[in-house]
């Protein structure tokens, strides 16, 4: 029992660590891509926490094979949401970069003599 | 008269100007005839309805119309004697002002917008007069602010926009504070109908502080519109508006709405007893007396005709407040009757000032020299109005001042008679030189900007007629003050009903 | 009925993607049918009390449950009607404004997300709705082209971060209690440390998503960059979703000590939003930014009302809270449509574009002024009702002079920024081209919600009663 809970604590600690790293990256990160990745790390931390919590009742019931299916369903849903959100963010980022380069090009053409201004 | 009519009469009085106003907004600039006929149609219907109501109220009937609104405070329109006083005043003067505005604004742009808001403004004023409780009053009070703002800025010049901003700053802040005060009073005693003798008496013990706060808040706000002393700043500046608007602001709508609100608040919300119990009358009296003297004093120094008239308004409207604050029946009669008399006199003066400005381009007092020979009728009307303001018999102004003086003696505030005398002297000091210049000094040089607006009369007949009309009215009101039709006897009726309960 | 309200937009979206040519038609059709259904739901709820549906026949606890009380059915009705209106506006102007074809399915999804949100009473379902709402909203913002991508991306990142905070809170709560349904959770609630942490995390996330001060930084840029119909939807509806969840959490779940600890903060944040948002609205040189900052400020009222409700437990504050939400939704939709129409017609983004608008585009300007009247709280508008309820509550509570003065100040600020625009509109107009002919229909569409918010006053008594009882 103590074994198990220390193991759980380890997992929870890892999850919290992931969340912390992600949070740091999100707040500090100057680049948008880094912030998107940081969000994914935060998400990973949360999902890990949820996976751990799915074993929550084990200590009392001592039935090792039983886990909480609701949380698993939630994690799946959450993963889907996270993936699509990330994809959307990346798509927007690409468009932003395209728009930037499209803006730069005519500028460069105009100032052909002095590139890399 | 059927009960159906009784219920809907107050509403239809408001609608008779509101609906034409709304239609006028949609008209094109070129549809002049349609617009004018709509306007006059609205005026006619309104006067007719008001007449109906006047007869019924005189016979002792009550009108009552309500819509559910807030819990404990429906939207109520009711016609009692006091509201009718104001309704009659504003409807009759609206007739004069409409005709005047049609003549004044001939050829100027954006007339549909102007007349639309003009009608809205009168609707809001009449609604304010007919409001049956404080929440309804608050509603029309705000609407009045909103409807007059476009009129003040109508010219669209930088000065008028600045004046409009100032006007909004004063009145909207006032509106918010009024809302605060009404909400406070509502939380204490709900918002029942205005009742002669007030309705707060039952709650006085234990809530003195809050009631005094509510009174102070509301007086402060009504004082903005009634241009009481520290809150009068917007009024002289709003003079940049076209003359009919000034007439409307000073005589019919805004300033009068403030004064009317004070009357309502003192007599029908707080009531004489609670006012005395809370000792609220004395500060109000002092404030009003100070404003009377201050306004007259400032008017002396003004060289612009309209500005002098504006400061004169500040002074004269406080007579009403003072009459109300004295809490005696005779003084109340004086205050109420001055509400009407001051309106008629001041509108006459503004019509004349507008005529001078439109016909001869005169804006300054020194330019008035010898104008009596060029525009005798207008000058005559102006003279009558000025004499009335000073309070010389047999004009209407004399009646109100007489009653105010009697009232002061009645309640034992003899120092107020001194105030009246002093103010009367000041009035004479700033009006009589004007009259003297008009009639007895020779014309000095050419008129600043003369226009021939008419071949037969001294100016456009639509500008002349309203001035003559109101000048005659103010004379009649003075001469026939003792008859049944006069505002004086109506005020006595109101006061009788107000004071009967005790 | 509730299922219909959810399935219809979903099907609508699907068909729109299949037949993009008739997408506008489908969108309008969906919105109008949903409005009718919502109306029927409202009647049903008012007659038979709260309605509950368990989807797909699963037992309670496992199934996705939907619950409609009168507040949520009112909000659903509002959503559907505003969708219809904004859809009509977008249809009338989509050629001129070059609105992308993506608008129609996305706005339909938005409706789905919002309706589901109003109906959910389950922490995780609420998360899914929130996420759907966020993503769709960002996609809508990005419709207006390259300039909007940057604010849209920023919005997306912050919104995702907010959702993740919320999700973490949900996970902690599930770990502690093993249930997600709010009513069941409320019964087992203990005000201990994990639940406090979870509540704080969720509150943080929701405040970020609802743009409540001090986490509002993203809103003005995003709302101002979006096309006019989208800004109208975002300001009117989308920010209210997270606010709704926030109210659910604090009013139904939180324990007394937690509530007592947080109430002054909420009220304080609300006040700060009112004052600082108002000042920003007064100072910004851009017309749409002004309206967007006004959203930040007006959300402060809701926050203030929530804080006061939590502190004093006075039902009048609940009424004030939801009246603010309803009135602001209508008024802000009108403001954005009107300003959008004026700036699109007269050309220009600065607030100076409004110069003389009372002559060139009187209807749209009138719509703005009327809606602004409700934002200020002039009687007899919906905004006035809300403010009246707030003031009544404060006076009845007694001794709350500070809050009263603060509300007066906030009202004056809102009057200042509304009339800043109105005074400009009364300036003499610059001469316009002889073929200048503003379109009438979009202006009327902008006027409609503005009139509706004033008409709210006619139903004030039932509304006040209903919202006072409901209060969540």
């Amino acid at each position: 029992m103590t074994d198990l809970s220390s193991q759980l604590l380890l997992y929870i600690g890892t999850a919290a660590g992931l969340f912390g790293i992600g949070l740091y990256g999100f707040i500090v990160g100057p680049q948008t891509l880094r912030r998107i990745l940081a969000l994914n790390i935060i998400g990973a931390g949360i999902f890990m926490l949820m996976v751990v919590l799915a074993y929550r009742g084990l200590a009392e019931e001592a039935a090792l094979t039983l886990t909480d299916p609701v949380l698993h369903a939630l994690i799946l849903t959450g993963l889907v949401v996270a993936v699509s959100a990330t994809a959307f963010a990346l798509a927007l980022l690409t468009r932003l970069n395209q728009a930037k380069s499209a803006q730069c090009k005519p500028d460069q053409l105009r100032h052909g003599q002095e590139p890399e201004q | 008269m059927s009960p159906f009519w009784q219920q809907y009469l107050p509403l239809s009085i408001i609608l008779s100007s509101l609906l034409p106003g709304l239609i006028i907004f949609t008209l094109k600039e070129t549809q002049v005839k349609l617009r004018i006929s709509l306007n006059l149609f609205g005026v006619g219907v309104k006067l007719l309805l008001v007449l109906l109501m006047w007869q019924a109220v005189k016979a002792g009937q009550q009108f009552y119309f309500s819509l559910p609104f807030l819990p404990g405070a429906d939207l109520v329109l009711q016609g009692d004697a006091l509201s009718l006083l104001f309704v009659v005043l504003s409807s009759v003067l609206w007739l004069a002002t409409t005709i005047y505005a049609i003549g004044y604004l001939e050829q100027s742009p954006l007339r549909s917008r102007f007349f639309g808001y003009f009608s809205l403004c009168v609707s809001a004023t009449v609604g304010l007069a007919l409001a049956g409780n404080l929440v309804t009053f608050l509603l029309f009070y705000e609407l009045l602010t909103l409807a007059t703002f476009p009129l003040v800025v109508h010219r669209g010049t930088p000065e008028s926009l600045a004046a409009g901003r100032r006007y909004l700053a004063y009145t909207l802040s006032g509106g918010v504070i009024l809302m605060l005060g009404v909400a406070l009073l509502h939380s204490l005693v709900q918002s029942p109908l205005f009742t002669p003798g007030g309705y707060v008496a039952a709650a006085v013990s234990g809530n003195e502080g809050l009631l005094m706060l509510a009174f102070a808040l509301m007086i402060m706000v009504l004082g903005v519109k009634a241009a009481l002393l520290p809150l009068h700043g917007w009024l002289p500046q709003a003079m940049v508006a076209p003359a009919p608007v000034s007439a409307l602001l000073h005589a019919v709508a805004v300033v009068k709405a403030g004064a009317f609100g004070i009357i309502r608040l003192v007599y029908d919300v707080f009531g004489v007893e609670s006012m005395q119990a809370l000792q609220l009358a004395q500060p109000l009296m002092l404030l009003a007396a100070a404003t009377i003297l201050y306004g007259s004093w400032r008017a002396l120094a003004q060289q612009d005709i309209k500005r002098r008239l504006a400061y004169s308004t500040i002074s004269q409207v406080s007579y009403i407040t003072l009459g109300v604050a004295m809490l005696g029946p005779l003084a109340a009669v004086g205050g109420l009757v001055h509400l009407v008399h001051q309106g008629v006199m001041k509108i006459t003066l503004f019509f004349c000032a507008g005529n001078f400005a439109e016909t001869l381009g005169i804006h300054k007092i020194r330019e008035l020299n010898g104008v009596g020979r060029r525009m005798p009728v207008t000058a005559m009307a102006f003279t009558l109005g000025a004499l009335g303001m000073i309070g010389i018999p047999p004009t209407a102004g004399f009646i109100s001042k007489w009653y105010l003086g009697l009232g002061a003696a009645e309640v034992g505030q003899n120092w107020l008679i001194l105030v009246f005398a002093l103010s009367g002297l000041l009035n004479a000091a700033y009006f009589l030189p004007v009259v003297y210049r008009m009639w007895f000094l020779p014309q000095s040089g050419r008129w600043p900007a003369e226009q021939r607006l008419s071949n037969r009369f001294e100016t456009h007949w639509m500008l002349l007629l309203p001035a003559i009309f109101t000048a005659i009215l103010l004379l009649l009101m003075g001469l026939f003050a003792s008859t049944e039709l006069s505002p004086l006897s109506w005020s006595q009726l109101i006061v009788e009903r107000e004071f009967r309960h005790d | 009925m509730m299922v219909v309200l959810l399935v219809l937009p979903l099907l609508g979206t699907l068909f729109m993607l299949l037949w993009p040519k008739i997408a506008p038609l489908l969108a309008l059709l969906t919105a109008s049918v949903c409005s009718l259904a919502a109306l029927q739901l409202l009647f049903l709820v008012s007659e038979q009390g709260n309605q509950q549906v368990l989807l797909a026949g699963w037992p309670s606890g496992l199934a996705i449950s939907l619950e409609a009380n009168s507040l949520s059915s009112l909000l659903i009705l509002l959503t559907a009607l505003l969708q219809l209106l904004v859809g009509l506006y977008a249809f009338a102007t989509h050629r001129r404004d070059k609105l992308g074809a993506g608008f129609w399915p996305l706005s339909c999804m938005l409706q789905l997300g919002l309706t589901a949100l109003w109906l959910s009473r389950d922490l995780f379902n609420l998360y899914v709705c929130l996420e759907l709402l966020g993503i769709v909203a960002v996609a809508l913002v990005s419709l207006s082209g390259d300039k909007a991508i940057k604010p849209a991306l920023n919005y997306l990142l912050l919104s995702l971060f907010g959702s993740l905070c919320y999700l973490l809170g949900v996970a902690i709560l599930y770990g502690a209690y093993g249930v997600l349904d709010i009513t069941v959770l409320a019964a087992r609630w203990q005000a201990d440390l994990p639940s406090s942490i979870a509540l704080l995390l969720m509150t943080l996330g929701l405040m970020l998503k609802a743009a409540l001060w001090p986490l509002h930084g993203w809103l003005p840029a995003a709302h101002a960059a979006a096309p006019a119909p989208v800004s109208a939807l975002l300001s009117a509806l989308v920010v209210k979703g997270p606010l709704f969840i926030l109210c659910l959490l604090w009013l139904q779940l939180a324990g007394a000590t937690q509530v007592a600890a947080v109430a002054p903060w909420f009220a304080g944040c609300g006040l700060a939003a009112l004052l600082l948002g108002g000042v920003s609205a007064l100072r910004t040189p851009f017309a749409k930014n002004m309206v967007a900052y006004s959203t930040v400020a007006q959300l402060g009222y809701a926050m203030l009302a929530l804080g006061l409700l939590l502190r004093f437990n006075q039902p009048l504050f609940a009424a004030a809270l939801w009246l603010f939400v309803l009135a602001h939704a209508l008024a802000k939709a009108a403001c954005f449509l009107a300003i959008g129409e004026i700036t699109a017609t007269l050309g220009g983004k600065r607030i100076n574009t409004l110069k003389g608008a009372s002559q060139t585009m009187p209807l749209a300007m009138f719509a703005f002024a009327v809606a602004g009247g409700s934002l200020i709280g002039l009687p007899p508008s919906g905004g006035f009702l809300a403010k009246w309820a707030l003031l009544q509550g404060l006076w009845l509570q007694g001794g709350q002079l500070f809050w009263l003065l603060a509300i007066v100040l906030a009202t004056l600020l809102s009057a200042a920024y509304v009339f800043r625009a109105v005074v400009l509109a009364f300036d003499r107009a610059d001469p316009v081209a002889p073929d200048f002919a503003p379109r009438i229909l979009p202006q009327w569409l902008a006027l409609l919600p503005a009139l509706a918010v004033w008409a709210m006053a006619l139903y004030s008594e039932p509304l006040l009663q209903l919202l006072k009882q409901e209060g969540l």
Side-chain angles (χ1 to χ4, degrees), chain A residues 23 46 53 56 68 74 81, chain C residues 124 131 153 161 164 171 174-175:
Chain A
L23 191 64
I46 296 172
L53 290 175
R56 149 192 62 94
D68 189 342
L74 298 192
V81 171
Chain C
F124 192 76
E131 201 64 301
L153 194 56
F161 180 67
L164 285 174
Y174 189 81

Side-chain angles (χ1 to χ4, degrees), chain B residues 21-217:
Chain B
L22 291 180
I23 299 171
I24 286 170
F25 274 120
T26 65
L27 295 184
K28 290 198 181 67
E29 277 309 305
T30 45
Q31 291 168 301
V32 178
K33 283 213 174 107
L34 182 58
R35 197 187 62 231
I36 291 177
S37 25
L38 260 175
N39 239 328
L40 294 180
F41 174 75
V43 178
V45 171
K46 173 168 290 211
L47 283 176
L48 202 70
L49 293 173
V50 169
L51 190 70
L52 274 177
M53 195 179 202
W54 182 67
Q55 282 187 330
V57 168
K58 208 166 137 197
Q61 279 182 2
Q62 288 278 344
F63 293 91
Y64 183 81
F65 172 82
S66 79
L67 276 174
F69 185 46
L70 297 170
D74 290 342
L75 283 186
V76 178
L77 297 175
Q78 69 166 6
D80 59 10
L82 177 58
S83 50
L84 213 64
L85 183 78
F86 194 26
V87 170
V88 171
L89 172 74
S90 54
S91 318
V92 172
L93 294 188
W94 186 41
L95 169 70
T97 319
T98 304
I99 295 173
Y100 189 79
I102 292 171
Y104 189 88
L105 288 176
E106 220 171 38
Q107 313 302 338
S108 76
L110 294 173
R111 274 168 300 170
S112 287
R113 189 181 87 182
F114 180 87
F115 282 101
Y117 282 116
F118 205 67
S119 303
L120 285 193
C121 179
V122 172
S123 314
T125 310
V126 173
L128 193 110
L130 292 170
N133 58 26
L134 265 180
V135 172
T136 321
F137 184 86
L138 169 69
L139 187 153
F140 283 110
Y141 192 85
E142 303 279 13
L143 286 184
L144 182 62
T145 302
L146 296 186
T148 37
F149 165 70
L151 297 176
V152 175
V153 300
H154 180 73
R155 290 210 166 120
T157 54
E159 304 92 72
S160 68
L161 286 177
R165 272 195 211 104
R166 183 122 187 225
Y167 174 66
L168 273 184
Y170 272 89
T171 47
L172 275 180
S173 332
V176 178
I177 295 170
L178 182 63
M179 185 160 92
L180 201 64
V182 172
L184 168 59
L185 206 57
H186 186 89
S187 70
L188 292 174
V189 288
Q190 299 289 19
S191 297
L193 291 180
F194 290 133
T195 28
Y199 53 73
V200 300
V204 164
S205 62
N207 290 321
E208 285 93 353
L210 283 177
L211 279 175
M212 276 159 93
L213 178 64
F215 185 79
L217 286 175

